């Protein structure tokens, strides 16, 4: 039995301060419950779910684990009020909000006794989240996949900056897939880590197998932060990403970019497995992933490597 305990394990009632990121088209109830059952915090990514689908995932997750789990709500989602109502009705205890203003929903969720964490990419937004009443913040750096900050602050710089700016616990994200990366983040002042890409390459992720294989085959330099004029996202380079970059180089307008993006690009790439014309959101850390594993093994491996790194953190010769 693990006897580690800090503000993050206590806040969520979990064994290890390892949180699986909410990711559209990847993190349904299977992944979330597997992570929670392994002692981390599993999160259902609601951003790609219609309201009824979210309700089904929450119910399935409750049936698959008796341990705490959460729901990630990207605040740019079109049916946000319906999602929030379902989360409250279904008795979800932990909500991670992202991609929007933490002031809008935190108070309402907190009134219902829900623990609220907001994902930020700068100290400024971390402070706003604290003022809004969030219980913790996820500080997500430039290396992260999918949605990203405009300022391009790296995890290495962001974690100590956010940690100094707020009193609530900081969860580090962006570029973390191993126990030693977790250790580095904790040395910088984080009290937990949020891991995304590593869990895309898991057996339980709902992403298409073509996408999972592409993630484990990715090398350094294979991802790019793009679409900064719309919503910045880090993508695996492919035909679609090249088209966006060419359009950006020739100075395409926001409307031209929206037309090029079209609808359901993310679903096409990550869920339907169209590797050329789909949108493939993944972090830089995909460069060091080379296998698809059960999510529970990922949690255990990260923790084991973290603990052994803690005993022997630096090479002295
Ligand atoms: P698009 O507008 O291109 O397409 C909408 C997609 O979201 C479709 O695939 C649709 O599924 C699905 N969807 C789920 N719920 C709804 C809903 N209530 N209304 C309309 N569509 C819905 O969006 P994206 O693919 O870029 O993003 C998918 C969703 O996730 C959006 O709601 C977006 O706000 C959110 N989101 C996007 C992120 C990103 O980086 N792209 C990150 C975080 C959240 P179907 O095809 O089955 O109709």
């Amino acid at each position: 039995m693990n006897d580690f305990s800090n503000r993050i394990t206590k806040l969520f009632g979990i064994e290890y301060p390892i949180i699986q990121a909410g990711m559209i088209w990847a993190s349904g109830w299977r992944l979330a419950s597997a992570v929670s059952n392994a002692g981390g915090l599993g999160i259902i990514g609601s951003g790609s779910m219609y309201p009824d689908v979210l309700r089904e995932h929450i119910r399935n997750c409750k049936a698959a684990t008796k341990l705490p789990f959460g729901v990630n709500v990207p605040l740019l989602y079109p049916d946000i009020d319906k999602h929030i109502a379902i989360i409250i009705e279904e008795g979800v205890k932990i909500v991670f909000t992202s991609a929007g203003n933490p002031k809008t929903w935190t108070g309402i969720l907190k009134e219902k006794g829900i623990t609220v964490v907001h994902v930020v990419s700068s100290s400024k937004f971390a402070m706003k989240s604290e003022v809004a009443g969030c219980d913790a913040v996820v500080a997500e750096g430039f290396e992260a996949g999918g949605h990203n900050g405009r300022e391009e602050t790296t995890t290495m710089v962001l974690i100590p900056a956010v940690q100094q700016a707020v009193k609530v616990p900081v969860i580090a994200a962006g570029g973390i897939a191993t126990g030693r990366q977790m250790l580095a983040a904790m040395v910088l002042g984080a009290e937990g880590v949020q891991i995304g890409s590593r869990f895309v390459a898991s057996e339980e992720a709902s992403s298409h197998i073509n996408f999972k294989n592409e993630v484990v085959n990715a090398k350094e330099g294979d991802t790019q932060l793009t679409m900064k004029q719309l919503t910045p996202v880090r993508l695996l380079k492919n035909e679609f990403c090249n088209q966006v970059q060419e359009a950006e180089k020739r100075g395409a307008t926001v409307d031209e970019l929206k037309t090029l993006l079209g609808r359901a690009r993310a679903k096409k790439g990550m869920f339907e497995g169209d590797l050329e014309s789909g949108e493939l959101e993944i972090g830089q850390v995909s460069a060091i992933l080379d296998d698809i594993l059960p999510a529970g093994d990922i949690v255990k491996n990260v923790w084991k490597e973290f603990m052994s790194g803690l005993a022997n953190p630096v090479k002295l010769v």
Side-chain angles (χ1 to χ4, degrees), residues 22-25 46-51 53 72-80 82-83 98-99 145-148 227 231-235 261-268 270-272 279 281:
M23 300 169 287
I24 58 165
W25 304 114
S46 73
S48 46
M49 297 177 181
Y50 283 92
V53 177
N72 170 233
V73 183
L75 298 173
L76 42 67
Y77 181 80
D79 277 330
I80 196 86
K82 289 189 189 145
H83 271 192
S98 54
H147 265 272
N148 213 302
M227 285 187 281
T231 311
V233 281
R234 179 173 298 286
L235 300 181
L261 179 61
R263 189 181 171 279
R265 278 277 180 189
K267 182 183 186 187
K268 190 184 248 190
M270 297 186 283
F271 197 63
E272 294 171 353
E279 187 182 319
E281 301 179 8

Side-chain angles (χ1 to χ4, degrees), residues 203-215:
E203 287 175 4
E204 294 87 346
S206 57
S207 347
H208 196 282
I209 187 65
N210 292 353
F211 178 46
K212 294 184 192 182
N213 286 334
E214 200 72 352
V215 168

Side-chain angles (χ1 to χ4, degrees), residues 1-311:
M1 182 61 193
N2 167 50
D3 56 7
F4 181 91
S5 160
N6 70 3
R7 289 200 291 172
I8 288 297
T9 59
K10 285 184 203 148
L11 181 66
F12 301 129
I14 55 176
E15 197 174 352
Y16 312 116
I18 298 172
I19 294 135
Q20 163 251 310
M23 300 169 287
I24 58 165
W25 304 114
S27 56
W29 69 270
R30 281 194 185 80
L31 179 58
S33 59
V35 170
S36 290
N37 282 332
L41 183 71
I43 296 198
I44 296 172
S46 73
S48 46
M49 297 177 181
Y50 283 92
D52 287 350
V53 177
L54 173 62
R55 194 189 291 280
E56 200 181 315
H57 277 264
I58 294 171
R59 289 188 175 171
N60 286 340
C61 202
K62 284 193 280 195
T65 183
K66 292 290 156 252
L67 293 165
F69 69 92
V71 175
N72 170 233
V73 183
L75 298 173
L76 42 67
Y77 181 80
D79 277 330
I80 196 86
D81 44 351
K82 289 189 189 145
H83 271 192
I84 299 280
I86 288 168
I87 283 167
I88 293 169
E89 279 162 31
E90 293 296 325
V92 171
K93 301 275 186 310
I94 300 166
V95 169
F96 279 43
T97 51
S98 54
N101 189 339
K103 260 208 251 172
T104 327
W105 292 101
T106 303
I108 293 162
L109 294 165
K110 294 284 299 170
E111 265 175 31
K112 302 286 175 191
I114 296 172
T115 298
V116 184
V117 179
H118 194 67
V119 182
V120 301
S121 57
S122 70
S123 301
K124 189 174 115 190
F125 283 115
M127 288 188 278
K128 278 192 175 180
S129 305
E130 185 169 59
V131 170
C134 291
D135 298 285
V137 291
V138 174
E140 185 180 83
F142 175 71
E143 297 91 322
H147 265 272
N148 213 302
R150 285 177 199 282
E151 291 166 3
E152 304 195 352
T153 308
T154 61
T155 303
M156 190 76 141
V157 173
L158 187 65
I159 303 313
V162 171
Q163 193 259 329
Q164 275 177 32
V166 295
K167 292 194 177 62
V168 292
V170 178
I171 298 161
I176 303 168
T178 70
R180 289 192 83 86
Q181 288 170 318
M182 175 176 177
L183 181 60
M186 303 284 268
V187 168
L188 291 174
E191 292 177 59
V193 290
Q194 179 176 278
I195 295 179
S197 303
R198 173 64 277 193
F199 285 114
V200 169
S202 73
E203 287 175 4
E204 294 87 346
S206 57
S207 347
H208 196 282
I209 187 65
N210 292 353
F211 178 46
K212 294 184 192 182
N213 286 334
E214 200 72 352
V215 168
V216 296
N217 290 330
K219 304 279 176 289
E220 268 179 66
D222 282 356
T223 72
Q224 183 94 39
L225 184 63
T226 186
M227 285 187 281
K228 287 188 73 178
Q229 284 187 72
L230 297 177
T231 311
V233 281
R234 179 173 298 286
L235 300 181
L236 260 177
K237 291 176 185 166
N238 66 356
E239 180 50 33
F240 167 65
C241 186
N242 291 342
Q243 284 174 10
V244 172
Q245 282 183 310
E246 276 164 27
E248 283 174 336
K249 256 189 227 151
R250 64 164 194 270
T253 63
V254 167
D255 281 343
E256 282 170 324
L257 286 173
K258 277 188 186 160
T259 306
L260 178 57
L261 179 61
R263 189 181 171 279
R265 278 277 180 189
K267 182 183 186 187
K268 190 184 248 190
M270 297 186 283
F271 197 63
E272 294 171 353
D274 183 335
L275 299 179
E276 284 316 317
S277 45
E279 187 182 319
L280 307 174
E281 301 179 8
I282 206 74
Q284 284 187 342
V285 79
S286 53
I288 63 165
L289 303 179
D290 51 18
D291 47 12
I292 296 168
L293 293 173
D297 290 4
I298 295 171
V299 175
K300 302 283 180 214
N301 293 347
V302 168
W303 186 251
K304 202 169 146 203
E305 194 185 279
F306 170 77
M307 289 306 279
S308 71
L310 198 56

